[in-house]
Amino acid sequence: MQIVMEFDVKHIILLIGLFIMQGCSINQLFLTDEIDKVTIVRHTPYLKHNRAYFTRDTLKLLGHKKPYQLFLNPKTHDLGVLLHRGENYTLYHFFSPPKTSRFHGTLKKVRAMLKKQGYKALENATQGGYVVHTGPRRYKGVKTYLIDITDYSRLKKEYEKVIRTYNTQSLSSLKDTLPKSMIEPYLRYYWQRAEDETQKKALRRIEEKLHIVLEQSETPVQIPLSEQTPYHYYRYRASMYELGNYLNSTESRAALTPAQYTILQHRLQILQQEKLLEEGSLETLIAAYEKNHDPRFKQRILELLKKERAN
């Protein structure tokens, strides 16, 4: 019995030694079920959220200074994440169902093989209905690269159908929230094409649900001033200072629904940004741009820098 135990200990030590010689840490030896594989975070009828931690040390860049590239098969709706290690390429199928495919050869040949299988490089994940978060992470002591993807493509199509048909009957069944950046341009396009107040009323329901402000300053002509509620006044007419004071008051908490309060908060943020763009100093604009990455702030910063150089 003792001989068997000694053999097992020696065998384990040898395996650990070989594992370390391959450039792997002891932590990785005990995390084989947690890293380099896709795990499910949350699935609902309208969205899928999966995540993976990939060992970082052996990953190679694929272009655009990123160690991954996204490929989408439009027919099967399969989203693949391509990684490069050594001479091998691995495509991790993130959602349908999670699995891997291995390829050999140059990147050009791998891309050609993927194209033959129906995959196309996905350059703009947001337009495809995906939100992607990536970056280096330490996972239980192991250096990894996080790839976290939420698939909103089905939910996006449902909202587009509601908007396109001006039919909000199915709106109550859409419990998940869709990122505004995915649907706001589409919503604004059909808002401009709306032919009557019935269609606009349908789009306003979507506007409130997604906390999107379609009309930022104009007064709705359909509602006489004498009949407007405080919400309508502060949404369409109030100045930045009036709106700010109202939102900080106990009156607003009692009079507004949570959705209305959020919309007014969003309008206040827009008014504050506009004021900052018009009156903010160079230092203030730079500090704001580092947080919001808004291209309008970048353009304003460049304009102020040109003025300083001219003086």
Side-chain angles (χ1 to χ4, degrees):
M1 184 72 175
Q2 185 177 358
I3 295 174
V4 174
M5 288 181 66
E6 288 178 355
F7 175 77
D8 287 344
V9 171
K10 290 180 180 179
H11 191 61
I12 292 171
I13 292 174
L14 178 61
L15 286 174
I16 292 175
L18 290 172
F19 201 73
I20 294 173
M21 287 176 64
Q22 294 294 323
C24 304
S25 69
I26 293 177
N27 282 339
Q28 286 176 244
L29 180 62
F30 301 102
L31 291 176
T32 53
D33 291 334
E34 299 180 46
I35 59 176
D36 292 328
K37 64 177 295 186
V38 178
T39 58
I40 295 173
V41 178
R42 177 173 176 247
H43 281 195
T44 74
Y46 289 101
L47 71 81
K48 297 178 181 179
H49 180 191
N50 288 359
R51 178 184 298 151
Y53 292 91
F54 298 102
T55 49
R56 195 193 322 164
D57 294 339
T58 56
L59 285 179
K60 297 184 178 181
L61 297 181
L62 282 174
H64 304 292
K65 297 183 179 180
K66 295 179 180 179
Y68 73 94
Q69 188 168 4
L70 300 178
F71 287 87
L72 179 65
N73 188 321
K75 291 184 179 179
T76 62
H77 305 288
D78 180 28
L79 181 70
V81 177
L82 185 68
L83 301 181
H84 183 201
R85 287 192 177 97
E87 297 179 356
N88 300 322
Y89 291 85
T90 304
L91 187 73
Y92 289 83
H93 304 262
F94 244 67
F95 296 106
S96 54
K99 60 180 180 177
T100 59
S101 300
R102 298 192 183 277
F103 301 90
H104 302 280
T106 64
L107 180 58
K108 184 177 181 180
K109 289 183 179 179
V110 171
R111 286 173 174 166
M113 285 187 280
L114 288 171
K115 184 178 181 180
K116 191 174 181 180
Q117 294 179 15
Y119 290 90
K120 297 180 180 179
L122 183 63
E123 303 297 343
N124 191 321
T126 302
Q127 286 185 357
Y130 300 91
V131 171
V132 182
H133 296 287
T134 65
R137 299 286 191 277
R138 273 195 176 271
Y139 183 74
K140 298 185 179 180
V142 177
K143 291 182 179 179
T144 63
Y145 191 85
L146 167 69
I147 299 182
D148 184 291
I149 305 177
T150 304
D151 177 3
Y152 290 98
S153 57
R154 185 181 177 190
L155 185 62
K156 182 172 180 284
K157 288 181 179 179
E158 288 295 322
Y159 270 103
E160 287 175 349
K161 180 180 177 181
V162 171
I163 293 169
R164 185 173 61 253
T165 60
Y166 301 99
N167 186 346
T168 60
Q169 289 183 356
S170 63
L171 198 61
S172 59
S173 66
L174 303 178
K175 305 297 183 183
D176 298 302
T177 301
L178 186 69
K180 289 189 289 187
S181 58
M182 282 189 183
I183 200 66
E184 185 170 355
Y186 196 87
L187 179 60
R188 289 190 179 280
Y189 174 76
Y190 279 91
W191 172 263
Q192 293 170 359
R193 293 186 59 183
E195 297 178 352
D196 52 45
E197 183 55 29
T198 301
Q199 291 181 343
K200 285 197 171 185
K201 184 178 179 180
L203 297 186
R204 284 196 186 98
R205 288 192 61 194
I206 303 169
E207 171 192 27
E208 289 201 11
K209 181 160 185 168
L210 297 179
H211 304 153
I212 295 173
V213 180
L214 291 172
E215 298 174 299
Q216 296 177 6
S217 59
E218 57 267 79
T219 303
V221 297
Q222 304 85 7
I223 305 175
L225 291 177
S226 59
E227 297 180 15
Q228 285 187 31
T229 64
Y231 169 69
H232 283 92
Y233 174 78
Y234 286 103
R235 180 173 178 182
Y236 299 106
R237 294 172 57 83
S239 68
M240 183 186 74
Y241 299 104
E242 288 179 305
L243 181 56
N245 290 333
Y246 178 64
L247 289 176
N248 288 327
S249 68
T250 55
E251 178 190 354
S252 65
R253 300 283 182 175
L256 301 174
T257 66
Q260 289 174 337
Y261 189 87
T262 302
I263 289 173
L264 292 186
Q265 276 187 318
H266 183 65
R267 179 172 184 257
L268 178 61
Q269 290 172 359
I270 291 173
L271 294 175
Q272 289 171 336
Q273 286 182 347
E274 291 174 350
K275 181 176 176 60
L276 183 57
L277 282 168
E278 292 178 5
E279 304 176 7
S281 66
L282 181 59
E283 292 77 13
T284 307
L285 289 167
I286 291 173
Y289 179 69
E290 288 176 349
K291 294 180 180 180
N292 60 33
H293 302 289
D294 189 324
R296 297 176 302 162
F297 282 76
K298 181 179 180 180
Q299 182 62 34
R300 181 59 176 160
I301 290 168
L302 293 175
E303 290 174 1
L304 293 179
L305 286 173
K306 287 180 181 179
K307 287 182 180 179
E308 283 193 359
R309 289 173 183 174
N311 295 332

